[in-house]
Amino acid sequence: KVKKCFVLEGDRYLRSKLCKKLRDNKIEILSFFHPTTIFDGYNTLGEGIIIFPKCYIGYKTDIKDGVIIQSNATIEHHNVIGSYVDINNNCTTGGFTLIDDYAEINMSVDIINGIRVGKHTRIGAGSLVINDCDTESLYLGRPAKYIRPNNPNH
């Protein structure tokens, strides 16, 4: 009898599976944007997005399905945020940044302009990303450095 629902699951991979199952059962996946969220215009938004309080989403930013953006995040102009990405509180991205599917950006991370963060990549808390980050990798530090592979199957 359920026709619509929100999916707020902390595990990105489980969130993806739940959304697929809901779609298969023709249940609409709702998004939630806290009323304090600022959208700067011409944004493209997928389904099942959750945006917490006091976030800024810059001009022409594209956010795919199942993304969770926590409080006080600043996502600048012309960004692409892939499906099932987690962006934790107090993160800032520069313009023209790509954060690919299933990436995890931990709290207080800063990413400069024009950076690509690969699929299944994790950026550790407090990092400053000044170079592109490979797929399935863990980066940490100021500036962020490659630490080890990040197993997407955890």
Side-chain angles (χ1 to χ4, degrees), residues 4-154:
K4 300 177 184 182
C5 72
F6 292 100
V7 178
L8 184 56
E9 166 56 50
D11 183 300
R12 299 177 310 282
Y13 305 101
L14 180 54
R15 187 163 67 237
S16 168
K17 289 177 186 176
L18 288 170
C19 288
K20 181 183 180 333
K21 188 164 239 133
L22 291 167
R23 278 187 214 97
D24 290 348
N25 286 291
K26 297 181 180 12
I27 297 172
E28 182 181 356
I29 303 166
L30 302 173
S31 293
F32 173 77
F33 311 120
H34 191 273
T36 59
T37 301
I38 297 171
F39 291 96
D40 203 12
Y42 297 100
N43 304 108
T44 304
L45 305 170
E47 69 177 0
I49 299 168
I50 307 289
I51 301 181
F52 285 65
K54 299 180 182 174
C55 291
Y56 171 80
I57 309 300
Y59 180 75
K60 287 192 175 181
T61 287
D62 180 9
I63 302 174
K64 308 288 185 189
D65 295 343
V67 171
I68 296 178
I69 301 175
Q70 293 186 22
S71 302
N72 298 310
T74 299
I75 309 300
E76 274 298 346
H77 60 91
H78 298 89
N79 276 223
V80 175
I81 310 298
S83 297
Y84 305 101
V85 168
D86 284 345
I87 297 177
N88 285 269
N89 56 311
N90 299 312
C91 289
T92 302
T93 68
F96 299 99
T97 296
L98 167 64
I99 300 174
D100 216 337
D101 300 342
Y102 298 97
E104 179 182 351
I105 312 299
N106 281 289
M107 65 180 140
S108 300
V109 168
D110 297 314
I111 302 174
I112 68 166
N113 292 345
I115 294 295
R116 182 184 182 281
V117 175
K119 280 185 179 183
H120 306 283
T121 292
R122 178 177 291 162
I123 309 296
S127 294
L128 170 62
V129 181
I130 62 172
N131 294 303
D132 289 351
C133 298
D134 294 333
T135 297
E136 297 181 8
S137 299
L138 170 65
Y139 287 82
L140 179 63
R142 290 188 83 79
K145 295 189 183 331
Y146 174 83
I147 302 298
R148 63 173 169 76
N150 184 48
N151 182 357
N153 299 320
H154 52 283

